[in-house]
Amino acid sequence: MPLYTYIVSYKGASRVTQGSHSNFKGFISSWCSNIPAGALPALTPALHKELTSKAYGGDFLAVPNIKNVWRKSIEVGGSEFTVIAVQTQP
């Protein structure tokens, strides 16, 4: 299975994680469910709950002119939560 690197950002803080999956779309545990407390300081427990409820909604979009990189944006607490998925290894 390919290895994916996920870069998430919210209100000026970022976190990087990886996971091996058959595809990058459906495995929110790699980039959403398992965010440690304090990793994104503005993501309070209530906002994290909102994020997990919205994580499967919306689509990842291919980043133009960059191979094997996708982006997804989710509104959480009135601010943008961004996920970048990069296929790191085939």
Side-chain angles (χ1 to χ4, degrees):
M1 281 191 266
L3 176 68
Y4 294 98
T5 300
Y6 298 94
I7 302 112
V8 298
S9 63
Y10 184 69
K11 291 190 173 184
S14 299
R15 179 172 189 273
V16 177
T17 189
Q18 291 184 312
S20 290
H21 309 292
S22 59
N23 66 69
F24 63 90
K25 295 178 183 181
F27 297 93
I28 67 165
S29 61
S30 291
W31 58 266
C32 176
S33 302
N34 298 328
I35 297 173
L40 300 172
L43 192 65
T44 64
L47 292 174
H48 188 258
K49 185 176 181 179
E50 179 183 344
L51 172 63
T52 57
S53 74
K54 294 179 174 181
Y56 283 108
D59 292 322
F60 276 92
L61 302 174
V63 174
N65 303 315
I66 302 176
K67 186 178 177 183
N68 298 326
V69 179
W70 302 267
R71 181 181 191 280
K72 180 175 185 169
S73 179
I74 303 166
E75 186 181 314
V76 177
S79 295
E80 181 180 44
F81 181 96
T82 304
V83 184
I84 305 291
V86 180
Q87 185 175 340
T88 310
Q89 292 178 340

